Amino acid sequence: MKLTCYPITPLAVEMRPGRPERDWMDALPHKHAYRCLPLVIANTSGWDLLVPGPFRATWNGGPNVSDITIESPFHLPPNGHASHVVSHFGGGVLTFHTHYLFRTEPGWDLWVGGAPNHIKHGIQALTGIVETYWLPQPFTMNWRFTAPGTVSWSAGEPFATIMPVPHTAIDAVEPVIADLEKEDPELYARSFAWQRSRETYIHEQSSFENDWQKHYFKGRYIDDSAGPPDHVHRRRLKAPKPAGE
């Protein structure tokens, strides 16, 4: 599936595949958060849009657009183009312009939100799903302050992540509450075996310094038999390239 990215001003930001690293994961003892495969896969399941330069934004707690002030060397770009980061909506909402018009193929939308598991104190990324298979205009990425104060971004820090998602497939999903033991005895047995193994493992560990159970990471069951052949333990998305290459 092709995701076409049309720069609509000279200020289109840098775009790159999501990276697995997170500062808070690096800071944990032995970096043990990287052992959680779902976290790492989520970190790399999209394309990040990057801040072109450092800036600080301050919200005084008021409801108006003027209640957010921005200190940035690129806040007022030349040639009359819209800024990368502005106060546009009020209510403590900070708005980023990507300077792209994104186009997905029919049947696909774009999920737009903060980079997964990228945490910023004092401000929360807002999330949207945009019908980019037909929409003729760009969208913005928005964050909302959680309390009055100042936040800052560094050059190259992601302010948004985009990920294609099916347009209507989720509408056909019907959640069903069922008795696992009765409905799927084999799955029940595997789940029970995992729980017992996990309880024993945690009881025997005094820290995260030692090795850890790697069954899910390897895509294997607790008895070490093979799981599904399409298990993903690493994701490396394609980098954007000029059309025609």
Side-chain angles (χ1 to χ4, degrees), residues 35 201 205 207-214:
R35 302 174 183 178
Y201 170 78
Q205 300 303 308
S207 71
F208 286 99
E209 184 175 357
N210 299 321
D211 199 5
W212 76 100
Q213 291 177 301
K214 300 178 181 179

Side-chain angles (χ1 to χ4, degrees), residues 92-177:
V93 174
L94 187 67
T95 297
F96 290 82
H97 290 281
T98 71
H99 297 276
Y100 283 102
L101 192 156
F102 293 100
R103 178 67 79 222
T104 45
E105 295 183 357
W108 290 86
D109 300 335
L110 273 187
W111 178 97
V112 185
N117 305 308
H118 180 71
I119 300 167
K120 291 194 74 66
H121 179 68
I123 199 165
Q124 171 67 44
L126 304 182
T127 303
I129 295 178
V130 186
E131 295 183 351
T132 45
Y133 69 92
W134 70 268
L135 191 69
Q137 66 260 25
F139 55 78
T140 60
M141 171 64 196
N142 297 283
W143 294 65
R144 189 178 188 278
F145 282 85
T146 58
T150 299
V151 296
S152 61
W153 266 264
S154 302
E157 183 177 348
F159 68 85
T161 293
I162 58 175
M163 178 176 61
V165 293
H167 178 51
T168 58
I170 195 171
D171 297 326
V173 176
E174 182 179 354
V176 176
I177 307 299

Side-chain angles (χ1 to χ4, degrees), residues 6-204:
Y6 297 104
I8 56 174
T9 82
L11 302 178
V13 300
E14 181 183 353
M15 178 178 168
R16 73 178 184 204
R19 296 180 177 177
E21 298 83 10
R22 297 291 183 267
D23 289 345
W24 68 270
M25 295 171 71
D26 290 337
L28 290 177
H30 313 292
K31 301 184 179 182
H32 61 74
Y34 289 106
R35 302 174 183 178
C36 181
L37 185 59
L39 280 178
V40 176
I41 293 296
N43 292 353
T44 55
S45 293
W47 287 264
D48 294 338
L49 304 175
L50 309 182
V51 173
F55 77 93
R56 290 159 48 94
T58 301
W59 181 44
N60 64 15
N64 301 315
V65 170
S66 59
D67 290 318
I68 292 179
T69 57
I70 300 169
E71 302 170 72
S72 166
F74 64 90
H75 179 47
L76 297 174
N79 304 323
H81 298 299
S83 298
H84 288 99
V85 56
V86 296
S87 176
H88 181 68
F89 295 107
V93 174
L94 187 67
T95 297
F96 290 82
H97 290 281
T98 71
H99 297 276
Y100 283 102
L101 192 156
F102 293 100
R103 178 67 79 222
T104 45
E105 295 183 357
W108 290 86
D109 300 335
L110 273 187
W111 178 97
V112 185
N117 305 308
H118 180 71
I119 300 167
K120 291 194 74 66
H121 179 68
I123 199 165
Q124 171 67 44
L126 304 182
T127 303
I129 295 178
V130 186
E131 295 183 351
T132 45
Y133 69 92
W134 70 268
L135 191 69
Q137 66 260 25
F139 55 78
T140 60
M141 171 64 196
N142 297 283
W143 294 65
R144 189 178 188 278
F145 282 85
T146 58
T150 299
V151 296
S152 61
W153 266 264
S154 302
E157 183 177 348
F159 68 85
T161 293
I162 58 175
M163 178 176 61
V165 293
H167 178 51
T168 58
I170 195 171
D171 297 326
V173 176
E174 182 179 354
V176 176
I177 307 299
D179 187 309
L180 177 59
E181 186 175 10
K182 292 180 179 178
E183 294 289 332
D184 196 330
E186 181 180 356
L187 178 59
Y188 172 79
R190 289 188 182 278
S191 177
F192 184 75
W194 177 87
Q195 291 179 49
R196 292 294 300 271
S197 173
R198 187 67 170 174
E199 290 170 358
T200 300
Y201 170 78
I202 292 176
H203 178 72
E204 294 176 350

